[in-house]
PDB file of all heavy atoms in Angstrom:
ATOM      1  N   GLN B  58      -7.981  -3.672  10.072  1.00  0.00           N
ATOM      2  CA  GLN B  58      -9.182  -3.165   9.585  1.00  0.00           C
ATOM      3  C   GLN B  58      -9.447  -1.658   9.815  1.00  0.00           C
ATOM      4  O   GLN B  58     -10.073  -0.982   9.035  1.00  0.00           O
ATOM      5  CB  GLN B  58     -10.334  -3.967  10.293  1.00  0.00           C
ATOM      6  CG  GLN B  58     -11.736  -3.843   9.660  1.00  0.00           C
ATOM      7  CD  GLN B  58     -12.760  -4.374  10.567  1.00  0.00           C
ATOM      8  OE1 GLN B  58     -12.539  -5.303  11.316  1.00  0.00           O
ATOM      9  NE2 GLN B  58     -13.975  -3.880  10.384  1.00  0.00           N
ATOM     10  N   ALA B  59      -8.778  -1.170  10.942  1.00  0.00           N
ATOM     11  CA  ALA B  59      -8.865   0.169  11.220  1.00  0.00           C
ATOM     12  C   ALA B  59      -7.780   1.027  10.491  1.00  0.00           C
ATOM     13  O   ALA B  59      -7.704   2.273  10.753  1.00  0.00           O
ATOM     14  CB  ALA B  59      -8.697   0.325  12.753  1.00  0.00           C
ATOM     15  N   GLY B  60      -7.033   0.299   9.704  1.00  0.00           N
ATOM     16  CA  GLY B  60      -6.018   1.090   8.911  1.00  0.00           C
ATOM     17  C   GLY B  60      -4.753   1.290   9.577  1.00  0.00           C
ATOM     18  O   GLY B  60      -3.957   2.094   9.135  1.00  0.00           O
ATOM     19  N   ILE B  61      -4.494   0.488  10.586  1.00  0.00           N
ATOM     20  CA  ILE B  61      -3.178   0.647  11.306  1.00  0.00           C
ATOM     21  C   ILE B  61      -2.172  -0.313  10.697  1.00  0.00           C
ATOM     22  O   ILE B  61      -2.493  -1.508  10.372  1.00  0.00           O
ATOM     23  CB  ILE B  61      -3.401   0.277  12.767  1.00  0.00           C
ATOM     24  CG1 ILE B  61      -4.379   1.306  13.433  1.00  0.00           C
ATOM     25  CG2 ILE B  61      -2.074   0.324  13.527  1.00  0.00           C
ATOM     26  CD1 ILE B  61      -4.843   0.899  14.807  1.00  0.00           C
ATOM     27  N   SER B  62      -0.971   0.158  10.404  1.00  0.00           N
ATOM     28  CA  SER B  62       0.033  -0.675   9.657  1.00  0.00           C
ATOM     29  C   SER B  62       0.483  -1.756  10.599  1.00  0.00           C
ATOM     30  O   SER B  62       0.585  -1.630  11.826  1.00  0.00           O
ATOM     31  CB  SER B  62       1.122   0.209   9.210  1.00  0.00           C
ATOM     32  OG  SER B  62       1.945   0.603  10.269  1.00  0.00           O
ATOM     33  N   LEU B  63       1.057  -2.773   9.983  1.00  0.00           N
ATOM     34  CA  LEU B  63       1.613  -3.910  10.722  1.00  0.00           C
ATOM     35  C   LEU B  63       2.767  -3.470  11.624  1.00  0.00           C
ATOM     36  O   LEU B  63       2.959  -3.892  12.745  1.00  0.00           O
ATOM     37  CB  LEU B  63       2.139  -5.058   9.856  1.00  0.00           C
ATOM     38  CG  LEU B  63       1.036  -5.813   9.109  1.00  0.00           C
ATOM     39  CD1 LEU B  63       1.654  -7.029   8.362  1.00  0.00           C
ATOM     40  CD2 LEU B  63       0.029  -6.361  10.045  1.00  0.00           C
ATOM     41  N   ARG B  64       3.590  -2.552  11.064  1.00  0.00           N
ATOM     42  CA  ARG B  64       4.643  -2.010  11.793  1.00  0.00           C
ATOM     43  C   ARG B  64       4.225  -1.346  13.140  1.00  0.00           C
ATOM     44  O   ARG B  64       4.785  -1.645  14.218  1.00  0.00           O
ATOM     45  CB  ARG B  64       5.399  -0.912  11.040  1.00  0.00           C
ATOM     46  CG  ARG B  64       6.382  -0.081  11.708  1.00  0.00           C
ATOM     47  CD  ARG B  64       6.992   0.996  10.771  1.00  0.00           C
ATOM     48  NE  ARG B  64       7.769   0.376   9.770  1.00  0.00           N
ATOM     49  CZ  ARG B  64       9.084  -0.048   9.941  1.00  0.00           C
ATOM     50  NH1 ARG B  64       9.685   0.167  11.101  1.00  0.00           N
ATOM     51  NH2 ARG B  64       9.790  -0.569   8.946  1.00  0.00           N
ATOM     52  N   LEU B  65       3.168  -0.638  13.039  1.00  0.00           N
ATOM     53  CA  LEU B  65       2.611   0.028  14.240  1.00  0.00           C
ATOM     54  C   LEU B  65       1.967  -0.937  15.165  1.00  0.00           C
ATOM     55  O   LEU B  65       2.146  -0.826  16.431  1.00  0.00           O
ATOM     56  CB  LEU B  65       1.595   1.203  13.786  1.00  0.00           C
ATOM     57  CG  LEU B  65       1.213   2.218  14.856  1.00  0.00           C
ATOM     58  CD1 LEU B  65       2.442   2.732  15.538  1.00  0.00           C
ATOM     59  CD2 LEU B  65       0.395   3.254  14.231  1.00  0.00           C
ATOM     60  N   ILE B  66       1.190  -1.780  14.603  1.00  0.00           N
ATOM     61  CA  ILE B  66       0.584  -2.895  15.421  1.00  0.00           C
ATOM     62  C   ILE B  66       1.717  -3.636  16.188  1.00  0.00           C
ATOM     63  O   ILE B  66       1.539  -3.929  17.414  1.00  0.00           O
ATOM     64  CB  ILE B  66      -0.186  -3.807  14.501  1.00  0.00           C
ATOM     65  CG1 ILE B  66      -1.344  -3.122  13.803  1.00  0.00           C
ATOM     66  CG2 ILE B  66      -0.732  -5.027  15.295  1.00  0.00           C
ATOM     67  CD1 ILE B  66      -2.006  -3.936  12.710  1.00  0.00           C
ATOM     68  N   LYS B  67       2.768  -3.964  15.496  1.00  0.00           N
ATOM     69  CA  LYS B  67       3.844  -4.695  16.166  1.00  0.00           C
ATOM     70  C   LYS B  67       4.354  -3.888  17.325  1.00  0.00           C
ATOM     71  O   LYS B  67       4.630  -4.528  18.414  1.00  0.00           O
ATOM     72  CB  LYS B  67       5.004  -4.953  15.141  1.00  0.00           C
ATOM     73  CG  LYS B  67       6.093  -5.807  15.699  1.00  0.00           C
ATOM     74  CD  LYS B  67       7.287  -5.709  14.830  1.00  0.00           C
ATOM     75  CE  LYS B  67       8.477  -6.476  15.487  1.00  0.00           C
ATOM     76  NZ  LYS B  67       9.705  -6.179  14.877  1.00  0.00           N
ATOM     77  N   SER B  68       4.608  -2.578  17.115  1.00  0.00           N
ATOM     78  CA  SER B  68       5.115  -1.790  18.195  1.00  0.00           C
ATOM     79  C   SER B  68       4.210  -1.738  19.400  1.00  0.00           C
ATOM     80  O   SER B  68       4.663  -1.640  20.560  1.00  0.00           O
ATOM     81  CB  SER B  68       5.508  -0.402  17.711  1.00  0.00           C
ATOM     82  OG  SER B  68       4.367   0.445  17.549  1.00  0.00           O
ATOM     83  N   HIS B  69       2.911  -1.745  19.129  1.00  0.00           N
ATOM     84  CA  HIS B  69       1.985  -1.721  20.239  1.00  0.00           C
ATOM     85  C   HIS B  69       2.003  -3.149  20.957  1.00  0.00           C
ATOM     86  O   HIS B  69       1.967  -3.193  22.159  1.00  0.00           O
ATOM     87  CB  HIS B  69       0.515  -1.458  19.750  1.00  0.00           C
ATOM     88  CG  HIS B  69       0.273  -0.016  19.540  1.00  0.00           C
ATOM     89  ND1 HIS B  69      -0.720   0.647  20.201  1.00  0.00           N
ATOM     90  CD2 HIS B  69       0.833   0.895  18.707  1.00  0.00           C
ATOM     91  CE1 HIS B  69      -0.716   1.903  19.864  1.00  0.00           C
ATOM     92  NE2 HIS B  69       0.197   2.024  18.951  1.00  0.00           N
ATOM     93  N   LEU B  70       2.078  -4.185  20.237  1.00  0.00           N
ATOM     94  CA  LEU B  70       2.086  -5.481  20.824  1.00  0.00           C
ATOM     95  C   LEU B  70       3.296  -5.790  21.522  1.00  0.00           C
ATOM     96  O   LEU B  70       3.327  -6.567  22.491  1.00  0.00           O
ATOM     97  CB  LEU B  70       1.882  -6.563  19.667  1.00  0.00           C
ATOM     98  CG  LEU B  70       0.440  -6.707  19.128  1.00  0.00           C
ATOM     99  CD1 LEU B  70       0.452  -7.637  17.919  1.00  0.00           C
ATOM    100  CD2 LEU B  70      -0.490  -7.201  20.193  1.00  0.00           C
ATOM    101  N   GLU B  71       4.370  -5.129  21.187  1.00  0.00           N
ATOM    102  CA  GLU B  71       5.643  -5.346  21.799  1.00  0.00           C
ATOM    103  C   GLU B  71       5.707  -4.859  23.261  1.00  0.00           C
ATOM    104  O   GLU B  71       6.550  -5.239  24.075  1.00  0.00           O
ATOM    105  CB  GLU B  71       6.797  -4.722  21.049  1.00  0.00           C
ATOM    106  CG  GLU B  71       7.359  -5.629  20.038  1.00  0.00           C
ATOM    107  CD  GLU B  71       8.316  -4.916  18.991  1.00  0.00           C
ATOM    108  OE1 GLU B  71       8.376  -3.710  19.062  1.00  0.00           O
ATOM    109  OE2 GLU B  71       8.844  -5.597  18.148  1.00  0.00           O
ATOM    110  N   LYS B  72       4.678  -4.014  23.642  1.00  0.00           N
ATOM    111  CA  LYS B  72       4.660  -3.578  24.961  1.00  0.00           C
ATOM    112  C   LYS B  72       4.228  -4.730  25.898  1.00  0.00           C
ATOM    113  O   LYS B  72       4.306  -4.581  27.167  1.00  0.00           O
ATOM    114  CB  LYS B  72       3.653  -2.446  25.112  1.00  0.00           C
ATOM    115  CG  LYS B  72       4.142  -1.198  24.399  1.00  0.00           C
ATOM    116  CD  LYS B  72       2.960  -0.108  24.431  1.00  0.00           C
ATOM    117  CE  LYS B  72       3.366   1.012  23.550  1.00  0.00           C
ATOM    118  NZ  LYS B  72       2.268   1.946  23.239  1.00  0.00           N
ATOM    119  N   PHE B  73       3.707  -5.807  25.361  1.00  0.00           N
ATOM    120  CA  PHE B  73       3.298  -6.964  26.095  1.00  0.00           C
ATOM    121  C   PHE B  73       4.042  -8.084  25.661  1.00  0.00           C
ATOM    122  O   PHE B  73       3.594  -9.014  24.942  1.00  0.00           O
ATOM    123  CB  PHE B  73       1.760  -7.093  25.920  1.00  0.00           C
ATOM    124  CG  PHE B  73       1.029  -5.876  25.934  1.00  0.00           C
ATOM    125  CD1 PHE B  73       0.511  -5.322  24.898  1.00  0.00           C
ATOM    126  CD2 PHE B  73       0.844  -5.217  27.178  1.00  0.00           C
ATOM    127  CE1 PHE B  73      -0.205  -4.091  24.852  1.00  0.00           C
ATOM    128  CE2 PHE B  73       0.174  -4.006  27.235  1.00  0.00           C
ATOM    129  CZ  PHE B  73      -0.365  -3.429  26.069  1.00  0.00           C
ATOM    130  N   PRO B  74       5.293  -8.224  26.168  1.00  0.00           N
ATOM    131  CA  PRO B  74       6.246  -9.290  25.710  1.00  0.00           C
ATOM    132  C   PRO B  74       5.842 -10.583  26.117  1.00  0.00           C
ATOM    133  O   PRO B  74       6.389 -11.654  25.581  1.00  0.00           O
ATOM    134  CB  PRO B  74       7.652  -8.823  26.271  1.00  0.00           C
ATOM    135  CG  PRO B  74       7.237  -8.033  27.489  1.00  0.00           C
ATOM    136  CD  PRO B  74       5.945  -7.443  27.166  1.00  0.00           C
ATOM    137  N   THR B  75       4.876 -10.777  26.907  1.00  0.00           N
ATOM    138  CA  THR B  75       4.460 -12.106  27.363  1.00  0.00           C
ATOM    139  C   THR B  75       3.882 -12.930  26.242  1.00  0.00           C
ATOM    140  O   THR B  75       3.544 -14.117  26.388  1.00  0.00           O
ATOM    141  CB  THR B  75       3.474 -12.073  28.471  1.00  0.00           C
ATOM    142  OG1 THR B  75       2.327 -11.291  28.063  1.00  0.00           O
ATOM    143  CG2 THR B  75       4.054 -11.398  29.708  1.00  0.00           C
TER     144      THR B  75
END
Side-chain angles (χ1 to χ4, degrees):
Chain B
Q58 196 192 329
I61 300 169
S62 72
L63 289 188
R64 168 181 294 278
L65 193 50
I66 295 168
K67 186 192 171 191
S68 77
H69 278 242
L70 285 173
E71 273 168 354
K72 293 174 188 167
F73 314 106
T75 60

